[in-house]
Amino acid sequence: MVSGGGGQTPAPTSISLTAFPGTALQGQPVELRATLTGNALGTSPPSGRVTFHSAQAALGTAAVDPSGVAEFRSTLLPVGSDAISASYGGDPSYAGSASATLQVTINKASTSTYSNPLSLDVSGTQQAVSCADPAIYKQQLNGVDTWYLYCTSDALYTGDTTPHFINVFYSADLVNWTYSGNAFVGLPPWANTAGAALWAPAIKYFNGQYYLYFTTPVTTLAGQGAAIGVGVSASPAGPFVHQPGPVVEPERATNCCGGAYRSTLDPDVITDASGQSYILFGSFTGGIYVRRLSADGFTSDIASEQLIAADSRYEGGNWWFHAGYYYLLASSTNCCSGPLTGYGVFAGRATTPLGPYLDAQGISMTALNVGGTPVLRMNGNSVLGPGGNVMFTDEAGQDYMLYHGIKRSSPYYPGQVGYTARPGYIDAVDWVNEWPEARGGFGPSDQDAPQPLPAAQPGSAASYVTSLANPEVARSPIATMSDEFSSPVLSSQWSFLHESPSYTLMSGTYSVPTVSIDSIGGMASLPLLAESAPPGDFIVETKVQLNLPSAGAGADYAQAGLLLYGDDYNYVRLDLYSKSDTRQIEFVKQETAEAAGYPTWGETSLGPPDGTTPFTAWLRVTKTNVNGEEHYTAYSSQDGSNWFQGGTWVHSLGASLKICLYAGNRGGYVANFDYVHVSTIQ
């Protein structure tokens, strides 16, 4: 073949192949990197693709990036030692094809494993498809443990017409569960009304009996507002008997939301070293609160009430005591949006149950720029929207998280589009610098990542071994796609999509006013500063400032940030934005609806922006090839140095992908972008 003029012969080409790590546990990602070598590199960046094979099957292909590297991540390599090969072809500047091989070893997590989601047996032939907002309790009798699982009162399966009042399951191994019935025989008298249900159980034992706290989203009380109730029983299996009145009554929000009744949801109870018990509750309308609980556990002291997590951000709060701290773990964004559910869990900690709760950066969970350190997030596998969690410790002393998730392949009850199914999951928790991380940062596990069985019975040996995930970092900058905005005119790498905004370039900043156009539904009119994305895996980063109000509401959804664009209906968006009286960072996926009745967008939350005005956020998105799918992972920072990883959306944006800057949804504000850096991934 001839490349260009002058009758040049093809440059000799070879491939070196590496794996990171070379030995891994089943289900953990292994990065396969093929690096081209040849004397045309540097003068003629290669195109084309590399095809990866294991000894048993084709794995997939990856585009060659501008540095001559093709990266492919796999979580599906089989247990054992496997010969991995890579072959290149496609660019006539490089001789024909080249190939390389290496050995990768995948170890089984343990001789005895389980796979998520949990098995919820109803009748021997019928499995329950959902266990939302789960709670757990261990009863030990005669040296044998029976574990009890409590779930929000959803239908057990499609076609289940039986009324449910907290579903109860039991298990001897923490993995295989059997349905035992309803915790209650009906609704409490103060919530015996249309639309009422029993949600979000919390099980406790004190005063010689079992207490089951719950939410009633609709009541016959003031304003028909939500409330917290409790029932008691002599057995963790129930039946539980309702107490005459609520533990926490409906109240109007005074800090937000136009004076609406608070979302008095999602209770949990904890007792401090002095014997004083506390109850927490709350959700997006009003925030999460804590009160002192009466000695009998049936009422709470409104005079002791403290706000401990911001409105418009958190729900599903629960406590865990560790190393002298009370950890508040709470879920953020929508629990129940089917395949676009972006739920995730964040943490803060305090020295007393009353707070204040600060995250790993020292930011309060009630701050304007809402603190919260990520604990459990989507990782791109089959589990969507993990959250609604509680924690427990197995018999070997290993901490675990019990939570609900959504299966990407079946997000709804079969035949009932819109009714999100939320099966139960458990995963080990590692304490990294005294902060909890699900599976050391690897996040939720599924059928492709079997986990060591927890120690469910006394005397059982520990089998879980900590393995910490590594964040994605830059390998080498791509200068032609990066920009410091130091020139008085835009670089030729940029163009505008849809329309040209009224921008300015000054002092190393691309400054652009926000427009009153939402990308969801209005993308065709939204101005985007755009450049072509590189082939292969990459990281894009920017720093953005947005002059939102220094306090209060009124700027709802004004936003600015990064947008990776496939077309007007398919993209991901990472932005700094205003939500009621908070300033947050969100990561949005927009897609053409998968089927009739399916949603078209969903969001997941990240760590906090800088809390001073103008509000500042450092934003990163990585694009990686995992099992042949496009994985987009968000990162955020409030100082440009300490980065926190957010969730991963799986999308298909294609070869025409563009990197964009935008400022939209609400006019009247100005976004300043300091730079765009595009790099290959280490």
Side-chain angles (χ1 to χ4, degrees):
M1 294 182 179
V2 175
S3 175
Q8 295 178 349
T9 58
T13 306
S14 62
I15 290 180
S16 62
L17 181 60
T18 53
F20 306 93
T23 300
L25 291 176
Q26 185 180 12
Q28 290 184 355
V30 175
E31 178 192 329
L32 306 173
R33 180 184 298 169
T35 303
L36 298 182
T37 57
N39 59 23
L41 279 170
T43 60
S44 175
S47 59
R49 302 185 72 83
V50 171
T51 301
F52 295 87
H53 284 81
S54 74
Q56 302 181 27
L59 297 174
T61 67
V64 177
D65 70 25
S67 65
V69 173
E71 293 175 311
F72 185 96
R73 289 165 174 80
S74 178
T75 62
L76 304 178
L77 295 176
V79 171
S81 183
D82 201 358
I84 305 296
S85 65
S87 59
Y88 165 75
D91 188 334
S93 298
Y94 295 82
S97 64
S99 62
T101 60
L102 84 164
Q103 294 292 124
V104 172
T105 300
I106 303 298
N107 295 319
K108 193 172 182 179
S110 173
T111 55
S112 299
T113 61
Y114 74 95
S115 294
N116 276 317
L118 304 175
S119 173
L120 305 173
D121 182 67
V122 176
S123 65
T125 58
Q126 182 73 58
Q127 287 274 310
V129 300
S130 195
C131 179
D133 310 314
I136 193 168
Y137 189 83
K138 179 188 74 176
Q139 182 186 49
Q140 189 174 98
L141 293 174
N142 301 318
V144 177
D145 289 350
T146 300
W147 298 82
Y148 289 90
L149 174 65
Y150 307 83
C151 316
T152 279
S153 301
D154 287 330
L156 294 170
Y157 48 83
T158 298
D160 176 17
T161 59
T162 302
H164 291 284
F165 306 102
I166 303 296
N167 296 315
V168 183
F169 296 81
Y170 64 92
S171 173
D173 64 5
L174 284 165
V175 174
N176 298 288
W177 298 85
T178 301
Y179 181 61
S180 68
N182 283 339
F184 295 92
V185 298
L187 296 165
W190 42 271
N192 191 8
T193 185
L198 304 184
W199 293 353
I203 180 73
K204 305 296 172 182
Y205 180 81
F206 56 97
N207 294 338
Q209 57 188 343
Y210 296 91
Y211 289 68
L212 188 59
Y213 294 86
F214 56 85
T215 294
T216 49
V218 179
T219 69
T220 59
L221 304 171
Q224 294 190 302
I228 304 299
V230 67
V232 295
S233 174
S235 167
F240 290 82
V241 177
H242 289 296
Q243 293 305 296
V247 183
V248 182
E249 68 288 343
E251 290 284 340
R252 290 189 182 275
T254 58
N255 59 329
C256 73
C257 317
Y261 275 89
R262 298 190 307 209
S263 299
T264 306
L265 311 177
D266 305 331
D268 195 19
V269 170
I270 201 167
T271 302
D272 68 15
S274 73
Q276 174 64 56
S277 294
Y278 300 82
I279 185 167
L280 69 76
F281 57 91
S283 185
F284 304 127
T285 304
I288 296 179
Y289 294 83
V290 60
R291 292 180 182 178
R292 288 187 174 90
L293 193 63
S294 61
D296 62 9
F298 299 149
T299 60
S300 61
D301 177 16
I302 190 172
S304 67
E305 182 175 281
Q306 298 288 333
L307 176 69
I308 58 172
D311 63 271
S312 304
R313 170 70 177 202
Y314 289 123
E315 67 175 8
N318 63 95
W319 271 308
W320 190 248
F321 188 74
H322 173 81
Y325 286 98
Y326 297 89
Y327 287 80
L328 172 65
L329 294 97
S331 299
S332 183
T333 72
N334 191 338
C335 69
C336 311
S337 190
L340 290 173
T341 301
Y343 229 31
V345 177
F346 296 78
R349 68 185 186 185
T351 55
T352 76
L354 289 170
Y357 288 85
L358 309 182
D359 68 11
Q361 301 177 89
I363 302 172
S364 173
M365 294 179 80
T366 61
L368 180 69
N369 59 327
V370 198
T373 296
V375 176
L376 178 66
R377 55 188 176 262
M378 297 183 296
N379 59 17
N381 66 0
S382 66
V383 187
L384 300 169
N389 73 293
V390 293
M391 287 180 60
F392 68 95
T393 303
D394 76 358
E395 288 287 14
Q398 173 64 49
D399 290 337
Y400 276 84
M401 185 171 289
L402 166 68
Y403 60 96
H404 69 240
I406 297 166
K407 295 174 68 175
R408 183 153 47 123
S409 61
S410 53
Y412 297 119
Y413 280 68
Q416 295 183 261
V417 172
Y419 190 1
T420 299
R422 293 175 285 170
Y425 295 75
I426 59 171
D427 275 304
V429 170
D430 293 293
W431 292 90
V432 182
N433 298 320
E434 296 305 329
W435 288 91
E437 291 196 31
R439 286 205 306 141
F442 283 105
S445 67
D446 64 5
Q447 71 280 354
D448 295 322
Q451 297 298 299
L453 280 172
Q457 294 297 326
S460 299
S463 55
Y464 175 77
V465 177
T466 296
S467 178
L468 301 182
N470 293 314
E472 297 150 329
V473 295
R475 175 165 49 87
S476 57
I478 304 175
T480 57
M481 296 180 176
S482 301
D483 198 344
E484 303 294 333
F485 298 121
S486 56
S487 172
V489 296
L490 281 172
S491 165
S492 60
Q493 76 203 64
W494 298 108
S495 61
F496 289 105
L497 281 176
H498 308 131
E499 297 181 23
S500 175
S502 301
Y503 71 93
T504 59
L505 290 168
M506 185 180 299
S507 303
T509 300
Y510 170 69
S511 181
V512 60
T514 60
V515 294
S516 298
I517 300 171
D518 189 350
S519 64
I520 299 166
M523 176 62 85
S525 302
L526 181 65
L528 300 176
L529 179 65
E531 65 171 341
S532 295
D537 294 357
F538 65 85
I539 294 177
V540 57
E541 178 186 319
T542 192
K543 175 187 174 184
V544 61
Q545 291 184 321
L546 187 60
N547 63 336
L548 299 169
S550 59
D556 273 2
Y557 305 109
Q559 59 195 233
L562 286 167
L563 191 149
L564 274 64
Y565 174 94
D567 60 42
D568 284 354
Y569 306 98
N570 294 275
Y571 56 84
V572 294
R573 189 185 82 204
L574 178 61
D575 60 79
L576 166 63
Y577 78 119
S578 180
K579 186 174 185 180
S580 185
D581 54 353
T582 68
R583 312 294 179 253
Q584 301 185 40
I585 299 172
E586 65 178 349
F587 188 37
V588 172
K589 176 183 177 180
Q590 165 80 31
E591 68 176 3
T592 304
E594 293 182 30
Y598 275 55
T600 60
W601 71 277
E603 62 176 335
T604 191
S605 296
L606 278 91
D610 176 67
T612 57
T613 55
F615 294 94
T616 306
W618 283 258
L619 307 174
R620 280 181 186 167
V621 178
T622 67
K623 173 182 177 286
T624 53
N625 181 341
V626 182
N627 303 325
E629 296 178 323
E630 298 172 29
H631 284 215
Y632 296 90
T633 302
Y635 294 78
S636 67
S637 174
Q638 61 146 3
D639 58 11
S641 298
N642 299 296
W643 290 87
F644 289 85
Q645 183 174 344
T648 297
W649 289 116
V650 179
H651 213 328
S652 182
L653 301 181
S656 60
L657 176 66
K658 294 185 181 298
I659 294 169
C660 305
L661 302 181
Y662 84 102
N665 201 286
R666 189 182 189 97
Y669 302 95
V670 176
N672 293 320
F673 295 89
D674 280 16
Y675 60 82
V676 172
H677 293 165
V678 182
S679 306
T680 57
I681 295 180
Q682 178 65 45

